[in-house]
Amino acid sequence: MRDFLNNEWLSINTATLRKQWTLPQIIEGCVRHGIPAISPWRDQVAECGLAVAKSLVRETGIKLSGYCRGGMFPAVDQAGLTAALEDNYRAVDEACELGSPCLVLVVGGLPGALQGWAAHRDIGLSRAQVTDGIARLLEYARPRKMPLAIEPLHPMYAADRACVNTLEQALDICDVLDPANSGALGVVADIYHVWWDPKLQAQIQRAGARRLLAFHVCDWLAPTNDLLLDRGMMGDGVIEIRKIRGWMEAAGYAGFSEVEIFSARNWWQRPADEVLTTCKERHLTVV
Amino acid sequence: MRDFLNNEWLSINTATLRKQWTLPQIIEGCVRHGIPAISPWRDQVAECGLAVAKSLVRETGIKLSGYCRGGMFPAVDQAGLTAALEDNYRAVDEACELGSPCLVLVVGGLPGALQGWAAHRDIGLSRAQVTDGIARLLEYARPRKMPLAIEPLHPMYAADRACVNTLEQALDICDVLDPANSGALGVVADIYHVWWDPKLQAQIQRAGARRLLAFHVCDWLAPTNDLLLDRGMMGDGVIEIRKIRGWMEAAGYAGFSEVEIFSARNWWQRPADEVLTTCKERHLTVV
């Protein structure tokens, strides 16, 4: 297991600072803090423009640990499915343009649930649409050499954000759609979503280096006060982060630890430089 | 699959009305509404006294679909483990006294987490203590002919309430501790906790009639505003309740559908008679 003596393998998911800084500010801030990588969100890229984001990435030499996010495949009709797929093609294009190592997929749940009114309850149908959508997207992404990274979300998001909820389920999809394990399809292990899983170690091992495309860290607070916006800083919660990173590395993962914290009551309220300083310190002491 | 033409198989978990009525009032109310069964909580029994509860059950002829709850096995030291076990012995005694068909086990998570400060982060240790605790409790419960029903809780409760989080995990424990499938150890399928699981149908099938000791219903609201106290009435959320009941019955389950709703913003605020009327109506139309 790698010793983290410096922050060479630290990445900041840009959602972590979305309330304080624009993407250009985040890039400038990370460079200033000696943080080598980021994982940008599409809306933050759109805000400053893809060309500006691309030139900032090139000029600063900052690395990317991923691009957030494609997915949201399920829909109520063919037009909706097609629109979702078209949007995913654009996400692949943008990821290629920015030089991301992968496109992260948050696959979607029951159509309409995120807006507060699910169009139906058939999660099996949504799951079938997800598998089909990834299959179609893979045809587009593979020749462009953009790996797709399925991110299983915590089961509490099954209705509204992602009906892929365990690493096992995500890897089953990988086995079906990319049986050769070509590197074109893999998973994100975000500890916030998967830490509770009694099969976590086994499924990380099963995934192996080729399918472990990203590793996201934050912490699970006990108590957690909000289903979406109450993630903790590494070390402030109950997740055995270092143990899980050890499992990742034993399976061959040697990439970034990407900090992704949505925290309405805490970290989104703090000065961005303080957040980055804390991320750096916790990366060394806890991750 | 049974047609529910009346409420013969409806049970009310007494937590559903804990803000409105005492246990004697709940028993009286259920009898008045023609609801044939309840599943009482220990604290509500303690409030009126075990002898009173027992005589009310006998006099009214109301049936029990379970007794809530034993469990909470993990602790920081041997004294704590022993105290938890002793308390579980008392829960078995009470369940026997009341004539419950099983004792429901909510197994516990990281010691202290429910009080807001986890003593450690080693969920593997908690899981080992849970398996050991159930093994010890089984020695006590088996000669008393009180089946133990492990209730996997939703993964969002892994830290503070239960580190058994899927039916598969619960059934793995059953396989280890009762390989003969004697009927002394089984599971509760509470749809709120397990509805999201892509392996749900397969694990219900695996459990079979002897291990399916209870079936709890409510609904998952989208959005859900509170991790603990925002359960929905059947039909108001996104769970395919009838489909899951079909899987239960295909596996051989022929018992009660037990309504267990904790709802701070809604059903705990309504008159108890209205809640029971709604439970009866939804039981027929949705469950």
Side-chain angles (χ1 to χ4, degrees), chain A residues 65-114:
Chain A
S65 58
Y67 187 51
C68 292
R69 59 188 194 187
M72 299 289 165
F73 296 102
V76 292
D77 54 24
Q78 190 55 51
L81 292 169
T82 301
L85 202 54
E86 290 290 339
D87 189 56
N88 274 290
Y89 295 155
R90 299 295 77 77
V92 168
D93 294 341
E94 293 162 26
C96 291
E97 196 72 13
L98 292 168
S100 175
C102 63
L103 174 66
V104 173
L105 300 181
V106 171
V107 301
L110 300 172
L114 194 55

Tab-separated table of all heavy atoms in Angstrom, chain A residues 65-114:
chain	number	residue	atom	x	y	z
A	65	SER	N	-9.020	13.405	-12.585
A	65	SER	CA	-9.245	12.038	-12.092
A	65	SER	C	-10.596	11.501	-12.555
A	65	SER	O	-10.957	10.371	-12.223
A	65	SER	CB	-9.172	12.009	-10.562
A	65	SER	OG	-10.122	12.885	-9.991
A	66	GLY	N	-11.323	12.308	-13.300
A	66	GLY	CA	-12.613	11.872	-13.824
A	66	GLY	C	-13.384	13.076	-14.333
A	66	GLY	O	-12.911	14.217	-14.238
A	67	TYR	N	-14.560	12.800	-14.875
A	67	TYR	CA	-15.442	13.869	-15.339
A	67	TYR	C	-16.855	13.497	-14.902
A	67	TYR	O	-17.344	12.395	-15.171
A	67	TYR	CB	-15.360	14.023	-16.866
A	67	TYR	CG	-16.104	15.222	-17.413
A	67	TYR	CD1	-15.904	16.494	-16.871
A	67	TYR	CD2	-16.990	15.093	-18.475
A	67	TYR	CE1	-16.581	17.598	-17.366
A	67	TYR	CE2	-17.664	16.195	-18.989
A	67	TYR	CZ	-17.460	17.444	-18.426
A	67	TYR	OH	-18.129	18.544	-18.927
A	68	CYS	N	-17.504	14.425	-14.172
A	68	CYS	CA	-18.811	14.168	-13.570
A	68	CYS	C	-19.897	14.989	-14.266
A	68	CYS	O	-19.807	16.193	-14.265
A	68	CYS	CB	-18.804	14.541	-12.093
A	68	CYS	SG	-17.761	13.478	-11.101
A	69	ARG	N	-20.804	14.417	-14.833
A	69	ARG	CA	-21.127	13.033	-14.915
A	69	ARG	C	-22.073	12.793	-16.056
A	69	ARG	O	-22.894	13.655	-16.405
A	69	ARG	CB	-21.754	12.548	-13.602
A	69	ARG	CG	-23.015	13.328	-13.284
A	69	ARG	CD	-23.573	13.043	-11.917
A	69	ARG	NE	-24.945	13.583	-11.897
A	69	ARG	CZ	-25.713	13.641	-10.854
A	69	ARG	NH1	-25.280	13.197	-9.693
A	69	ARG	NH2	-26.915	14.141	-10.923
A	70	GLY	N	-22.008	11.605	-16.612
A	70	GLY	CA	-23.023	11.113	-17.521
A	70	GLY	C	-24.029	10.294	-16.745
A	70	GLY	O	-24.007	10.251	-15.518
A	71	GLY	N	-24.934	9.633	-17.477
A	71	GLY	CA	-25.889	8.745	-16.839
A	71	GLY	C	-27.310	9.201	-17.006
A	71	GLY	O	-27.687	9.689	-18.062
A	72	MET	N	-28.107	9.024	-15.955
A	72	MET	CA	-29.526	9.413	-15.949
A	72	MET	C	-30.246	8.864	-17.195
A	72	MET	O	-30.932	9.583	-17.908
A	72	MET	CB	-29.668	10.935	-15.849
A	72	MET	CG	-29.075	11.515	-14.574
A	72	MET	SD	-30.065	11.087	-13.110
A	72	MET	CE	-28.923	11.499	-11.760
A	73	PHE	N	-30.079	7.584	-17.417
A	73	PHE	CA	-30.598	6.931	-18.621
A	73	PHE	C	-32.116	6.719	-18.652
A	73	PHE	O	-32.724	6.883	-19.705
A	73	PHE	CB	-29.903	5.574	-18.817
A	73	PHE	CG	-28.428	5.663	-19.060
A	73	PHE	CD1	-27.516	5.404	-18.055
A	73	PHE	CD2	-27.934	6.027	-20.317
A	73	PHE	CE1	-26.143	5.487	-18.279
A	73	PHE	CE2	-26.571	6.118	-20.548
A	73	PHE	CZ	-25.677	5.847	-19.523
A	74	PRO	N	-32.754	6.329	-17.533
A	74	PRO	CA	-34.172	5.953	-17.637
A	74	PRO	C	-35.070	7.111	-18.067
A	74	PRO	O	-34.814	8.278	-17.759
A	74	PRO	CB	-34.523	5.497	-16.211
A	74	PRO	CG	-33.212	5.054	-15.626
A	74	PRO	CD	-32.216	6.026	-16.198
A	75	ALA	N	-36.101	6.789	-18.769
A	75	ALA	CA	-37.078	7.775	-19.226
A	75	ALA	C	-38.409	7.088	-19.446
A	75	ALA	O	-38.491	5.856	-19.451
A	75	ALA	CB	-36.594	8.436	-20.512
A	76	VAL	N	-39.444	7.889	-19.626
A	76	VAL	CA	-40.787	7.313	-19.755
A	76	VAL	C	-41.122	6.901	-21.184
A	76	VAL	O	-42.073	6.155	-21.400
A	76	VAL	CB	-41.877	8.286	-19.255
A	76	VAL	CG1	-41.774	8.463	-17.749
A	76	VAL	CG2	-41.782	9.623	-19.970
A	77	ASP	N	-40.366	7.419	-22.155
A	77	ASP	CA	-40.675	7.049	-23.540
A	77	ASP	C	-39.396	7.062	-24.380
A	77	ASP	O	-38.315	7.436	-23.900
A	77	ASP	CB	-41.725	8.001	-24.128
A	77	ASP	CG	-41.295	9.459	-23.998
A	77	ASP	OD1	-40.079	9.735	-23.900
A	77	ASP	OD2	-42.189	10.330	-23.990
A	78	GLN	N	-39.555	6.666	-25.635
A	78	GLN	CA	-38.387	6.548	-26.500
A	78	GLN	C	-37.706	7.899	-26.709
A	78	GLN	O	-36.476	7.984	-26.768
A	78	GLN	CB	-38.793	5.939	-27.841
A	78	GLN	CG	-37.619	5.542	-28.724
A	78	GLN	CD	-36.642	4.605	-28.020
A	78	GLN	OE1	-37.057	3.593	-27.460
A	78	GLN	NE2	-35.361	4.941	-28.008
A	79	ALA	N	-38.498	8.939	-26.819
A	79	ALA	CA	-37.917	10.273	-27.000
A	79	ALA	C	-37.024	10.633	-25.810
A	79	ALA	O	-35.927	11.185	-25.987
A	79	ALA	CB	-39.036	11.310	-27.158
A	80	GLY	N	-37.489	10.297	-24.620
A	80	GLY	CA	-36.707	10.588	-23.424
A	80	GLY	C	-35.436	9.767	-23.364
A	80	GLY	O	-34.364	10.273	-22.994
A	81	LEU	N	-35.549	8.504	-23.734
A	81	LEU	CA	-34.360	7.645	-23.738
A	81	LEU	C	-33.332	8.165	-24.745
A	81	LEU	O	-32.124	8.202	-24.461
A	81	LEU	CB	-34.753	6.203	-24.092
A	81	LEU	CG	-35.601	5.457	-23.052
A	81	LEU	CD1	-36.144	4.167	-23.647
A	81	LEU	CD2	-34.791	5.168	-21.790
A	82	THR	N	-33.809	8.579	-25.893
A	82	THR	CA	-32.915	9.079	-26.935
A	82	THR	C	-32.262	10.390	-26.499
A	82	THR	O	-31.062	10.594	-26.701
A	82	THR	CB	-33.700	9.292	-28.248
A	82	THR	OG1	-34.281	8.042	-28.629
A	82	THR	CG2	-32.794	9.784	-29.354
A	83	ALA	N	-33.057	11.262	-25.904
A	83	ALA	CA	-32.505	12.540	-25.434
A	83	ALA	C	-31.416	12.307	-24.392
A	83	ALA	O	-30.362	12.970	-24.409
A	83	ALA	CB	-33.617	13.409	-24.858
A	84	ALA	N	-31.668	11.355	-23.487
A	84	ALA	CA	-30.676	11.059	-22.453
A	84	ALA	C	-29.390	10.538	-23.093
A	84	ALA	O	-28.277	10.907	-22.703
A	84	ALA	CB	-31.235	10.043	-21.461
A	85	LEU	N	-29.557	9.680	-24.096
A	85	LEU	CA	-28.386	9.103	-24.745
A	85	LEU	C	-27.597	10.187	-25.492
A	85	LEU	O	-26.356	10.241	-25.415
A	85	LEU	CB	-28.850	8.005	-25.707
A	85	LEU	CG	-27.833	6.951	-26.098
A	85	LEU	CD1	-27.199	6.288	-24.879
A	85	LEU	CD2	-28.510	5.898	-26.973
A	86	GLU	N	-28.316	11.066	-26.177
A	86	GLU	CA	-27.646	12.163	-26.892
A	86	GLU	C	-26.849	13.021	-25.909
A	86	GLU	O	-25.718	13.432	-26.198
A	86	GLU	CB	-28.687	13.040	-27.610
A	86	GLU	CG	-29.352	12.377	-28.797
A	86	GLU	CD	-28.402	12.203	-29.976
A	86	GLU	OE1	-27.380	12.918	-30.039
A	86	GLU	OE2	-28.673	11.334	-30.821
A	87	ASP	N	-27.447	13.294	-24.775
A	87	ASP	CA	-26.747	14.097	-23.777
A	87	ASP	C	-25.499	13.371	-23.279
A	87	ASP	O	-24.459	13.987	-23.028
A	87	ASP	CB	-27.693	14.414	-22.618
A	87	ASP	CG	-27.083	15.421	-21.660
A	87	ASP	OD1	-26.700	16.519	-22.120
A	87	ASP	OD2	-26.965	15.101	-20.465
A	88	ASN	N	-25.593	12.074	-23.166
A	88	ASN	CA	-24.423	11.294	-22.756
A	88	ASN	C	-23.321	11.302	-23.824
A	88	ASN	O	-22.134	11.298	-23.482
A	88	ASN	CB	-24.833	9.858	-22.418
A	88	ASN	CG	-25.302	9.721	-20.983
A	88	ASN	OD1	-24.501	9.826	-20.065
A	88	ASN	ND2	-26.585	9.510	-20.784
A	89	TYR	N	-23.726	11.315	-25.093
A	89	TYR	CA	-22.702	11.431	-26.156
A	89	TYR	C	-21.930	12.736	-25.986
A	89	TYR	O	-20.707	12.783	-26.132
A	89	TYR	CB	-23.358	11.389	-27.549
A	89	TYR	CG	-24.025	10.081	-27.908
A	89	TYR	CD1	-25.050	10.046	-28.845
A	89	TYR	CD2	-23.623	8.877	-27.327
A	89	TYR	CE1	-25.666	8.842	-29.203
A	89	TYR	CE2	-24.241	7.682	-27.679
A	89	TYR	CZ	-25.260	7.672	-28.612
A	89	TYR	OH	-25.857	6.496	-28.963
A	90	ARG	N	-22.658	13.817	-25.655
A	90	ARG	CA	-21.986	15.119	-25.455
A	90	ARG	C	-21.043	15.044	-24.243
A	90	ARG	O	-19.962	15.636	-24.265
A	90	ARG	CB	-23.013	16.221	-25.254
A	90	ARG	CG	-23.980	16.462	-26.413
A	90	ARG	CD	-23.300	16.972	-27.672
A	90	ARG	NE	-22.605	15.916	-28.417
A	90	ARG	CZ	-23.210	15.004	-29.194
A	90	ARG	NH1	-24.530	14.966	-29.297
A	90	ARG	NH2	-22.486	14.090	-29.849
A	91	ALA	N	-21.473	14.321	-23.224
A	91	ALA	CA	-20.610	14.190	-22.042
A	91	ALA	C	-19.318	13.453	-22.396
A	91	ALA	O	-18.229	13.819	-21.933
A	91	ALA	CB	-21.357	13.458	-20.923
A	92	VAL	N	-19.434	12.436	-23.236
A	92	VAL	CA	-18.234	11.726	-23.688
A	92	VAL	C	-17.338	12.675	-24.482
A	92	VAL	O	-16.112	12.731	-24.273
A	92	VAL	CB	-18.610	10.494	-24.545
A	92	VAL	CG1	-17.379	9.934	-25.269
A	92	VAL	CG2	-19.249	9.413	-23.681
A	93	ASP	N	-17.949	13.456	-25.375
A	93	ASP	CA	-17.162	14.416	-26.172
A	93	ASP	C	-16.399	15.376	-25.260
A	93	ASP	O	-15.210	15.647	-25.478
A	93	ASP	CB	-18.086	15.226	-27.091
A	93	ASP	CG	-18.757	14.361	-28.163
A	93	ASP	OD1	-18.260	13.249	-28.428
A	93	ASP	OD2	-19.779	14.809	-28.714
A	94	GLU	N	-17.094	15.893	-24.270
A	94	GLU	CA	-16.462	16.849	-23.357
A	94	GLU	C	-15.331	16.192	-22.566
A	94	GLU	O	-14.264	16.788	-22.366
A	94	GLU	CB	-17.505	17.424	-22.388
A	94	GLU	CG	-18.567	18.297	-23.051
A	94	GLU	CD	-19.800	18.493	-22.167
A	94	GLU	OE1	-19.673	18.406	-20.929
A	94	GLU	OE2	-20.889	18.706	-22.727
A	95	ALA	N	-15.593	14.965	-22.110
A	95	ALA	CA	-14.549	14.255	-21.357
A	95	ALA	C	-13.310	14.046	-22.216
A	95	ALA	O	-12.170	14.182	-21.739
A	95	ALA	CB	-15.104	12.910	-20.857
A	96	CYS	N	-13.528	13.734	-23.498
A	96	CYS	CA	-12.396	13.573	-24.420
A	96	CYS	C	-11.660	14.907	-24.586
A	96	CYS	O	-10.431	14.962	-24.546
A	96	CYS	CB	-12.894	13.092	-25.783
A	96	CYS	SG	-13.513	11.402	-25.791
A	97	GLU	N	-12.436	15.942	-24.781
A	97	GLU	CA	-11.862	17.274	-24.994
A	97	GLU	C	-10.974	17.686	-23.812
A	97	GLU	O	-9.896	18.245	-23.989
A	97	GLU	CB	-13.020	18.263	-25.175
A	97	GLU	CG	-12.656	19.592	-25.778
A	97	GLU	CD	-12.320	19.474	-27.266
A	97	GLU	OE1	-12.603	18.415	-27.881
A	97	GLU	OE2	-11.749	20.434	-27.789
A	98	LEU	N	-11.464	17.389	-22.611
A	98	LEU	CA	-10.725	17.793	-21.404
A	98	LEU	C	-9.596	16.822	-21.065
A	98	LEU	O	-8.777	17.110	-20.195
A	98	LEU	CB	-11.689	17.874	-20.209
A	98	LEU	CG	-12.726	19.005	-20.262
A	98	LEU	CD1	-13.792	18.799	-19.192
A	98	LEU	CD2	-12.034	20.363	-20.073
A	99	GLY	N	-9.579	15.684	-21.718
A	99	GLY	CA	-8.546	14.694	-21.404
A	99	GLY	C	-8.791	13.941	-20.113
A	99	GLY	O	-7.846	13.553	-19.419
A	100	SER	N	-10.055	13.716	-19.784
A	100	SER	CA	-10.361	12.954	-18.572
A	100	SER	C	-10.013	11.481	-18.764
A	100	SER	O	-10.145	10.950	-19.870
A	100	SER	CB	-11.847	13.093	-18.231
A	100	SER	OG	-12.171	12.259	-17.136
A	101	PRO	N	-9.606	10.809	-17.693
A	101	PRO	CA	-9.324	9.369	-17.804
A	101	PRO	C	-10.590	8.517	-17.864
A	101	PRO	O	-10.509	7.337	-18.220
A	101	PRO	CB	-8.531	9.064	-16.526
A	101	PRO	CG	-8.997	10.088	-15.544
A	101	PRO	CD	-9.287	11.336	-16.353
A	102	CYS	N	-11.741	9.094	-17.503
A	102	CYS	CA	-12.991	8.342	-17.576
A	102	CYS	C	-14.169	9.301	-17.465
A	102	CYS	O	-14.009	10.449	-17.045
A	102	CYS	CB	-13.091	7.273	-16.473
A	102	CYS	SG	-13.112	7.923	-14.797
A	103	LEU	N	-15.331	8.801	-17.859
A	103	LEU	CA	-16.579	9.523	-17.636
A	103	LEU	C	-17.363	8.778	-16.557
A	103	LEU	O	-17.661	7.589	-16.706
A	103	LEU	CB	-17.415	9.592	-18.920
A	103	LEU	CG	-18.818	10.208	-18.760
A	103	LEU	CD1	-18.757	11.679	-18.387
A	103	LEU	CD2	-19.650	10.008	-20.034
A	104	VAL	N	-17.668	9.482	-15.484
A	104	VAL	CA	-18.413	8.884	-14.380
A	104	VAL	C	-19.899	8.844	-14.726
A	104	VAL	O	-20.450	9.834	-15.209
A	104	VAL	CB	-18.190	9.693	-13.085
A	104	VAL	CG1	-19.087	9.188	-11.955
A	104	VAL	CG2	-16.722	9.635	-12.674
A	105	LEU	N	-20.529	7.690	-14.468
A	105	LEU	CA	-21.953	7.521	-14.768
A	105	LEU	C	-22.769	7.363	-13.486
A	105	LEU	O	-22.596	6.382	-12.756
A	105	LEU	CB	-22.176	6.288	-15.653
A	105	LEU	CG	-21.485	6.260	-17.014
A	105	LEU	CD1	-21.835	4.972	-17.747
A	105	LEU	CD2	-21.866	7.477	-17.852
A	106	VAL	N	-23.628	8.324	-13.221
A	106	VAL	CA	-24.672	8.179	-12.202
A	106	VAL	C	-25.929	7.848	-12.990
A	106	VAL	O	-26.462	8.686	-13.710
A	106	VAL	CB	-24.822	9.465	-11.373
A	106	VAL	CG1	-26.057	9.387	-10.476
A	106	VAL	CG2	-23.566	9.683	-10.532
A	107	VAL	N	-26.386	6.600	-12.863
A	107	VAL	CA	-27.200	6.008	-13.918
A	107	VAL	C	-28.659	6.439	-13.965
A	107	VAL	O	-29.329	6.247	-14.966
A	107	VAL	CB	-27.134	4.461	-13.855
A	107	VAL	CG1	-25.697	3.990	-14.014
A	107	VAL	CG2	-27.763	3.936	-12.565
A	108	GLY	N	-29.139	7.036	-12.865
A	108	GLY	CA	-30.548	7.417	-12.822
A	108	GLY	C	-31.412	6.380	-12.122
A	108	GLY	O	-30.988	5.236	-11.910
A	109	GLY	N	-32.622	6.803	-11.738
A	109	GLY	CA	-33.524	5.900	-11.006
A	109	GLY	C	-34.869	5.793	-11.707
A	109	GLY	O	-34.925	5.464	-12.888
A	110	LEU	N	-35.921	6.087	-10.963
A	110	LEU	CA	-37.257	6.092	-11.551
A	110	LEU	C	-37.472	7.446	-12.217
A	110	LEU	O	-37.267	8.481	-11.582
A	110	LEU	CB	-38.315	5.873	-10.460
A	110	LEU	CG	-38.197	4.566	-9.674
A	110	LEU	CD1	-39.181	4.571	-8.500
A	110	LEU	CD2	-38.456	3.366	-10.570
A	111	PRO	N	-37.891	7.468	-13.482
A	111	PRO	CA	-38.051	8.758	-14.160
A	111	PRO	C	-38.997	9.669	-13.384
A	111	PRO	O	-40.080	9.227	-12.973
A	111	PRO	CB	-38.644	8.384	-15.518
A	111	PRO	CG	-38.564	6.913	-15.639
A	111	PRO	CD	-38.266	6.328	-14.305
A	112	GLY	N	-38.582	10.892	-13.182
A	112	GLY	CA	-39.424	11.858	-12.482
A	112	GLY	C	-39.225	11.905	-10.982
A	112	GLY	O	-39.584	12.890	-10.335
A	113	ALA	N	-38.654	10.851	-10.394
A	113	ALA	CA	-38.539	10.795	-8.931
A	113	ALA	C	-37.673	11.942	-8.392
A	113	ALA	O	-37.946	12.483	-7.328
A	113	ALA	CB	-37.967	9.449	-8.495
A	114	LEU	N	-36.641	12.289	-9.136
A	114	LEU	CA	-35.756	13.368	-8.683
A	114	LEU	C	-36.500	14.695	-8.641
A	114	LEU	O	-36.178	15.584	-7.854
A	114	LEU	CB	-34.539	13.453	-9.615
A	114	LEU	CG	-33.350	14.281	-9.142
A	114	LEU	CD1	-32.854	13.821	-7.776
A	114	LEU	CD2	-32.218	14.210	-10.154
